[in-house]
Amino acid sequence: MKRYADYKYSTSPLLDKVPAHWREGPLKYLLRIRGGQDHKAVENDTPTDIPVIGSGGAFSYATDYLYEGESVLLGRKGTIDRPLYVSGKFWTVDTMFYTEILPTANARFAYYLSTTIPFSLYSTNTALPSMSQFDLANHSVPIPSTQEQQKIAQFLDYETAKIDALIDEQKRLIELLKEKRQAVISHAVTKGLNPDAPMKDSGVEWLGEVPEHWKLTKLGYLGNAIIGLTYSPDDIIDEGGAIVLRSTNIQNGRVSLHDNVHVSKKISDKLRLRVGDILICSRNGSRALIGKNALIDESAAGHTFGAFTTVFRSTYNPFLRYIFDSRIFSAQAGLFMTTTVNQLTTGTLNQMQIALPPVNEQTEIIEYLDDEVMRVEFLTSECKLSLKLLQERRSALISAAVTGKIDVRDWQPPEGSDTVNSNASVQTERHYG
């Protein structure tokens, strides 16, 4: 994209230069920031056309609205760095600011501009980030004419829509690869690798037919399920002591040694992780996270693990690790969890039924799955890299357009494309006086 002919130095330390004919001023020259309100009096269990929106997005419905029209929503507490553009009737709660768009502003431009705010510079240093209305309103921004704002918004609507379509495609591919990974694993650990092997009915719904010569057994007969260490806040120390691995340390089938907790308690040998152990998330507020697991390698050996996790220790773990990654494990785990407690107990784990092949077949299946999983994970990593680059491209394009690094005034949408957001269109040019 071409640049503007003339630039001037910005008055903001966050910017270098801006187009010479642009103004600069606080965000409040474009928006009036208003606080959300409690929604209990207007909440509706039946879906309506009026969403209730918090900093995490829409989460309920309302019988009345707090505001109607175009607005840019800015997080006050919680998720503070994801502005939203909305149009129509809505209600925001006290974790989300809404804004009134001033006559000299284009709502879509204001939205794109707000995504470039360096929220980390303004957020309070607490466990739950928060923003002040004063800091947001007085954040310095470049301000083109209203007509130019409209052109920039039109350009970004078109270009980001194309990028968003590619982003959605990469996300779908990642999900398909995730499903393929589990399908390949599940088939191998229940049907084996020989398609001509005689089959028998396992008598277990989630296993179905299994090879005739495989042994039906329970996990408890193959190893031990060990619940993790119980500790209190008083046991936690800044450094030294024992590192306690928690469910948050289980990331994508591996142990991630980040955000570690250290405790001063004495740890028994039984609770020291060993190479080949399988660490399982056994209790969590999110049911979907129950059962996520990781095979322990040398980097995590010797550490301990918390009470919301369980270790399965067995000489069969090289094969069982794939059982834990299969649909038969997730199906059984779901059956034993209650509606009140998302917990996978050691007793439940020990009672889970599997079909165990002979040792030579276990080795063949392990080798086959090692190769297949590596291939799928390579493709997944490629998709994730593409996704990251697309997201970076999107952010960079928005930043370049709204700060005047590129000149889109002569840009025209391809013939026949539907690019103009009718709600954001402005018919006359307005300037700040």
Side-chain angles (χ1 to χ4, degrees):
M1 300 295 296
K2 68 177 183 179
R3 291 171 59 84
Y4 286 90
D6 297 309
Y7 285 85
K8 62 184 178 182
Y9 284 101
S10 171
T11 59
S12 169
L14 300 175
L15 297 172
D16 181 18
K17 295 179 180 180
V18 295
H21 64 286
W22 286 22
R23 292 196 60 192
E24 292 183 82
L27 188 63
K28 63 186 177 184
Y29 283 4
L30 300 173
L31 311 168
R32 288 288 182 264
I33 301 175
R34 307 299 187 196
Q37 298 181 20
D38 184 81
H39 69 292
K40 295 302 181 184
V42 298
E43 189 172 24
N44 195 346
D45 293 335
T46 303
T48 68
D49 292 332
I50 305 173
V52 177
I53 308 171
S55 63
F59 65 92
S60 187
Y61 300 94
T63 57
D64 199 0
Y65 58 92
L66 190 60
Y67 188 75
E68 180 179 10
E70 289 184 285
S71 183
V72 178
L73 308 187
L74 302 166
R76 186 186 74 83
K77 183 177 292 186
T79 306
I80 60 172
D81 58 350
R82 295 182 186 175
L84 298 175
Y85 166 85
V86 295
S87 180
K89 299 175 180 178
F90 63 87
W91 189 286
T92 58
V93 297
D94 64 355
T95 61
M96 179 70 95
F97 294 119
Y98 73 93
T99 61
E100 298 170 359
I101 311 297
L102 297 182
T104 47
N106 176 281
R108 292 293 293 173
F109 173 83
Y111 159 69
Y112 287 121
L113 184 63
S114 69
T115 66
T116 68
I117 295 173
F119 295 97
S120 60
L121 295 180
Y122 297 120
S123 64
T124 57
N125 187 22
T126 61
L128 188 64
S130 62
M131 295 288 296
S132 76
Q133 188 170 341
F134 176 85
D135 286 337
L136 284 171
N138 288 282
H139 172 67
S140 182
V141 294
I143 307 172
S145 68
T146 312
Q147 184 179 36
E148 202 165 343
Q149 291 179 41
Q150 180 190 356
K151 176 62 75 171
I152 293 170
Q154 184 185 29
F155 166 77
L156 289 175
D157 281 345
Y158 178 76
E159 292 296 333
T160 59
K162 290 195 301 181
I163 297 174
D164 288 343
L166 294 173
I167 287 174
D168 288 342
E169 182 179 330
Q170 291 302 311
K171 288 180 177 179
R172 284 194 298 271
L173 285 173
I174 291 170
E175 285 303 310
L176 288 173
L177 286 167
K178 181 179 178 182
E179 292 173 9
K180 179 178 177 60
R181 181 185 188 276
Q182 192 174 64
V184 168
I185 292 172
S186 299
H187 188 274
V189 299
T190 56
K191 311 301 179 188
L193 304 180
N194 180 8
D196 299 321
M199 307 295 283
K200 66 181 178 183
D201 184 1
S202 68
V204 181
E205 180 182 352
W206 46 84
L207 288 178
E209 288 192 334
V210 298
E212 196 173 73
H213 61 290
W214 287 21
K215 175 185 176 183
L216 293 170
T217 187
K218 295 179 179 179
L219 288 176
Y221 296 148
L222 305 177
N224 297 310
I226 306 166
I227 194 70
L229 177 75
T230 298
Y231 58 94
S232 70
D234 292 337
D235 297 318
I236 298 176
I237 55 179
D238 291 336
E239 58 184 16
I243 292 179
V244 182
L245 299 186
R246 299 163 296 160
S247 61
T248 53
N249 295 105
I250 304 173
Q251 299 290 337
N252 301 315
R254 294 177 175 82
V255 171
S256 175
L257 296 175
H258 75 290
D259 190 27
N260 296 319
V261 168
H262 298 253
V263 297
S264 57
K265 297 187 72 170
K266 184 177 180 180
I267 310 301
S268 67
D269 288 342
K270 182 180 179 181
L271 293 180
R272 293 280 183 184
L273 290 165
R274 305 172 188 175
V275 173
D277 283 350
I278 298 175
L279 180 66
I280 306 167
C281 174
S282 55
R283 184 166 181 172
N284 197 283
S286 171
R287 180 179 290 253
L289 297 179
I290 302 295
K292 72 171 182 171
N293 61 88
L295 188 67
I296 299 300
D297 59 16
E298 291 83 357
S299 67
H303 300 318
T304 190
F305 50 104
F308 283 12
T309 62
T310 298
V311 151
F312 195 79
R313 186 167 290 161
S314 169
T315 57
Y316 293 95
N317 273 358
F319 177 76
L320 295 180
R321 65 173 295 198
Y322 285 119
I323 293 285
F324 291 131
D325 275 345
S326 71
R327 289 172 180 162
I328 62 171
F329 176 68
S330 57
Q332 293 184 75
L335 287 175
F336 291 99
M337 285 187 286
T338 68
T339 56
T340 55
V341 179
N342 294 330
Q343 183 174 7
L344 181 62
T345 66
T346 55
T348 296
L349 194 60
N350 286 330
Q351 289 299 311
M352 288 188 177
Q353 295 175 294
I354 68 164
L356 188 69
V359 173
N360 64 315
E361 279 191 69
Q362 291 180 41
T363 302
E364 292 174 359
I365 291 170
I366 291 167
E367 292 175 351
Y368 167 77
L369 288 177
D370 283 348
D371 289 342
E372 287 297 304
V373 168
M374 183 180 298
R375 185 174 67 85
V376 172
E377 288 182 348
F378 172 77
L379 294 173
T380 302
S381 66
E382 291 289 295
C383 287
K384 288 181 177 179
L385 176 59
S386 295
L387 179 61
K388 180 175 182 289
L389 293 174
L390 285 167
Q391 291 168 332
E392 290 175 352
R393 164 66 177 163
R394 188 184 194 278
S395 296
L397 185 65
I398 291 172
S399 178
V402 300
T403 59
K405 290 183 174 61
I406 56 176
D407 182 356
V408 302
R409 289 175 295 179
D410 295 331
W411 177 85
Q412 293 297 326
E415 186 176 350
S417 62
D418 181 16
T419 62
V420 179
N421 184 306
S422 60
N423 291 325
S425 62
V426 180
Q427 302 303 320
T428 59
E429 183 174 358
R430 304 187 184 98
H431 294 274
Y432 287 92

